[in-house]
Amino acid sequence: MLRHFVKSNARSFSTTPAAFAGRQGVRRRPAKKFDVEEMPKFEFDDQTTIGHNLFDNIREVRQYLRKTEFELPKLSVFAKPFEPPTSNQILKFKTHTYLGEGHPVERKVVLSVKVADLKLNDTERHKFLLLSGPRYHVDTDELIMSSERFPKRQQNKKFLLDTLHKLINEAKDMKDTFADVPLNLPKPKTRLEFPKEWLKPKKEESSSIE
């Protein structure tokens, strides 16, 4: 059997990056930047960390004071006179806003409306209160609903409006009036008044001048 030997003139090469070539076995000395023993001696020529934090707070307060003095008066151009709600504007929406930071409660919307303002007859009112359940408050004759299931405030407001419209449409649907279902409403809370006879008598001013 003949064996053929082929001699290659190709030059061998290495896949090691050039950055690591010739550095095998060399260890870097760890930096002692934050070592207490290597820190320079404090010569009392600068403020401490607490002092710098105090100065930062003073600068921030002065920045807001300058805005209050020079920028806030410019907003008076956009001021509008207060207009009380008309008789047709019966819905009230309550929201919360946190200035300077975000908060999960900002997306929450609370809707309140007087049931008497919905102009329902006795049958429709009976069915409407049954469908409302505990969201109806006897003391103020208000329907109060809240929503925070959606990430945006406008979405929760739209959801409450749609829910109110569905309640009104169901109350006006006379296919089933729920007349045989009793309406068990809690008794209104009685407001206690302080007895007048318990008040201390006023001291009569003496007319005599000593």
Side-chain angles (χ1 to χ4, degrees), residues 4-203:
H4 299 277
F5 296 93
V6 179
K7 186 177 181 181
S8 176
N9 295 326
R11 184 180 179 183
S12 60
F13 63 93
S14 175
T15 58
T16 305
F20 298 102
R23 295 187 181 181
Q24 297 180 0
V26 179
R27 296 182 179 179
R28 291 186 177 182
R29 187 177 181 183
K32 297 183 179 181
K33 182 178 180 180
F34 299 101
D35 193 351
V36 179
E37 297 179 356
E38 299 294 331
M39 292 180 63
K41 185 178 180 181
F42 184 66
E43 300 294 342
F44 297 94
D45 55 348
D46 192 8
Q47 289 289 342
T48 60
T49 304
I50 300 177
H52 282 291
N53 293 336
L54 179 61
F55 284 152
D56 290 339
N57 293 335
I58 294 175
R59 294 188 189 99
E60 185 178 2
V61 172
R62 289 182 176 179
Q63 179 184 1
Y64 285 111
L65 290 177
R66 285 192 293 268
K67 289 184 178 181
T68 305
E69 181 70 21
F70 301 106
E71 296 184 15
L72 288 183
K74 299 179 182 179
L75 298 178
S76 60
V77 182
F78 305 98
K80 297 181 180 180
F82 173 73
E83 297 180 359
T86 61
S87 58
N88 296 328
Q89 298 173 344
I90 60 176
L91 301 181
K92 297 179 182 179
F93 294 94
K94 181 180 178 181
T95 57
H96 294 81
T97 301
Y98 290 81
L99 298 178
E101 60 179 348
H103 198 277
V105 81
E106 288 186 340
R107 65 185 181 184
K108 182 178 180 180
V109 181
V110 180
L111 180 147
S112 61
V113 59
K114 290 276 188 180
V115 179
D117 295 336
L118 298 178
K119 306 297 178 59
L120 302 175
N121 55 35
D122 295 339
T123 305
E124 295 172 350
R125 178 185 174 88
H126 176 81
K127 186 176 181 180
F128 183 83
L129 296 182
L130 284 175
L131 296 175
S132 301
R135 295 172 181 83
Y136 173 70
H137 294 254
V138 184
D139 301 329
T140 57
D141 190 33
E142 283 183 320
L143 173 69
I144 301 178
M145 298 185 298
S146 63
S147 175
E148 53 181 336
R149 63 171 59 185
F150 299 103
K152 298 296 182 180
R153 181 183 299 175
Q154 293 80 2
Q155 294 174 326
N156 290 310
K157 183 179 180 181
K158 181 66 167 53
F159 172 75
L160 292 176
L161 286 174
D162 294 341
T163 305
L164 179 61
H165 290 159
K166 291 179 181 179
L167 285 174
I168 296 175
N169 293 334
E170 288 293 334
K172 293 184 177 181
D173 188 5
M174 294 293 102
K175 293 180 180 179
D176 191 355
T177 59
F178 295 164
D180 55 338
V181 180
L183 183 61
N184 297 324
L185 296 177
K187 295 182 180 180
K189 297 180 181 179
T190 57
R191 185 176 181 180
L192 301 178
E193 296 182 359
F194 193 80
K196 295 181 179 180
E197 57 271 13
W198 290 5
L199 297 175
K200 293 183 179 180
K202 296 182 180 180
K203 295 181 179 180

